[in-house]
């Protein structure tokens, strides 16, 4: 059975704010959370890609000159925008509303409800 991970808008916004508030240094944390909870290969791939991003950009930022590197700034902003879009719209499963009038599924051997006899609208 495939695991589902649903999140409300508040949780999605908090995960996105973590990435922006840390200036991209902790952008990998929500993807690790989802990968551990759901365990899909695609989730582990997203976590690995954002971890690789950190491993590349941190040394790049340290080695770059004192004036700043405009390419590094564009890469960081683009990565944060992509991560935010994934966290808000693509990463978590959508909530599936329960159909009205259906109760919990009956187990094997449970008695079926009695059949409706006659016209139920004339009662």
């Amino acid at each position: 059975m495939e695991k589902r991970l649903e999140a409300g808008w508040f949780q999605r916004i908090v995960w996105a704010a973590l990435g922006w508030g840390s200036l991209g240094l902790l952008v990998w944390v929500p993807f690790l959370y989802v990968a551990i909870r759901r365990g899909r290969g695609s989730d582990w791939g997203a976590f690995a890609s954002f971890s690789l991003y950190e491993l590349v950009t941190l040394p790049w930022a340290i080695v770059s000159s004192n004036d700043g590197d405009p390419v590094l700034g564009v890469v960081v902003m683009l990565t944060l925008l992509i991560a935010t879009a994934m966290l808000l719209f693509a990463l978590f499963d959508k909530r599936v509303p329960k159909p009205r009038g259906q109760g919990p599924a009956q187990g094997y051997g449970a008695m079926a409800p009695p059949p409706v006899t006659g016209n139920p609208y004339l009662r």
Side-chain angles (χ1 to χ4, degrees):
M1 183 173 156
E2 188 173 303
K3 292 182 181 179
R4 294 181 47 82
L5 185 60
E6 298 173 351
W9 279 105
F10 180 74
Q11 183 179 3
R12 295 175 189 201
I13 291 171
V14 168
W15 280 124
L18 175 71
W20 283 95
S22 67
L23 301 175
L25 295 176
L26 297 177
V27 73
W28 54 272
V29 172
F31 296 96
L32 175 63
Y33 168 77
V34 171
I36 289 172
R37 291 287 306 268
R38 205 164 41 182
R40 292 182 187 166
S42 60
D43 296 331
W44 285 107
F47 164 68
S49 66
F50 282 105
S51 297
L52 179 65
Y53 158 79
E54 287 297 326
L55 292 174
V56 170
T57 56
L58 281 177
W60 185 6
I62 292 171
V63 172
S64 68
S65 66
N66 292 338
D67 296 336
D69 189 358
V71 175
L72 177 63
V74 169
V75 167
V76 169
M77 290 304 294
L78 207 68
T79 304
L80 283 173
L81 289 173
I82 290 171
T84 301
M86 287 178 67
L87 288 169
L88 292 179
F89 304 113
L91 191 63
F92 295 99
D93 295 321
K94 293 184 178 14
R95 292 189 176 165
V96 179
K98 291 183 181 179
R100 296 179 92 189
Q102 283 190 343
Q106 294 182 350
Y108 179 76
M111 294 186 59
V116 177
T117 56
N119 190 349
Y121 297 108
L122 296 177
R123 290 186 187 176

